[in-house]
Amino acid sequence: PPSPAVRNFTLNFTITNLQFTADLAMPNSKRFESTERVMRYYVDPLLHKSSIGPAYVGCKVVAFRSKGRHDTGVDAICSYRDEPSDPKFSRVTVYRELSNMTKGVTKLGHYSLNSQSLYVNG
């Protein structure tokens, strides 16, 4: 049988207790890499528990960006398998699930989130 297609969706949110620094803007810096690993540590389990969990492949942070004086925006590309037997991706459903799992988009592990910042786009 043909291998399943892998589809991507974007995930964006803003952390209010992670001050943006210039080294977060450089994908090969130690700070970028370590912060990206921490984001995966917190985000991966949530998406594995979501409705797309069985089809979820993973997320990769593609950028951290300054969002005002103290906040850091996170831009990630996430992937899932698109097979007839796997759950169908619904950005609205995934948004609602992530919102619930982050206490109304306020907590991600020890990070605080801007409650108006979560964005899921398929």
Side-chain angles (χ1 to χ4, degrees), residues 61-72:
V61 173
V62 293
F64 293 105
R65 54 196 159 70
S66 175
K67 295 287 287 186
R69 207 169 139 173
H70 299 288
D71 302 350
T72 298

Side-chain angles (χ1 to χ4, degrees), residues 1-115:
S3 56
V6 174
R7 306 267 188 242
N8 294 327
F9 64 96
T10 58
L11 177 64
N12 312 92
F13 53 91
T14 300
I15 299 172
T16 60
N17 63 336
L18 174 64
Q19 188 165 3
F20 182 82
T21 57
D23 53 347
L24 275 175
M26 298 183 300
N28 294 322
S29 73
K30 289 185 189 301
R31 179 114 193 259
F32 181 100
E33 291 174 352
S34 66
T35 307
E36 197 267 343
R37 275 193 303 276
V38 171
M39 290 302 110
R40 272 198 329 257
Y41 174 82
Y42 288 124
V43 171
D44 279 353
L46 298 180
L47 287 167
H48 277 295
K49 293 177 191 172
S50 75
S51 59
I52 64 162
Y56 176 67
V57 175
C59 283
K60 173 141 182 63
V61 173
V62 293
F64 293 105
R65 54 196 159 70
S66 175
K67 295 287 287 186
R69 207 169 139 173
H70 299 288
D71 302 350
T72 298
V74 179
D75 300 330
I77 302 291
C78 304
S79 303
Y80 63 96
R81 288 183 315 277
D82 188 15
E83 283 192 81
S85 61
D86 285 331
K88 290 296 168 213
F89 177 81
S90 162
R91 72 179 186 83
V92 172
T93 301
V94 171
Y95 173 90
R96 286 183 184 143
E97 291 167 342
L98 289 176
S99 178
N100 289 336
M101 289 186 270
T102 57
K103 296 181 176 34
V105 193
T106 61
K107 284 289 192 194
L108 181 64
H110 65 275
Y111 291 108
S112 298
L113 301 176
N114 175 321
S115 64

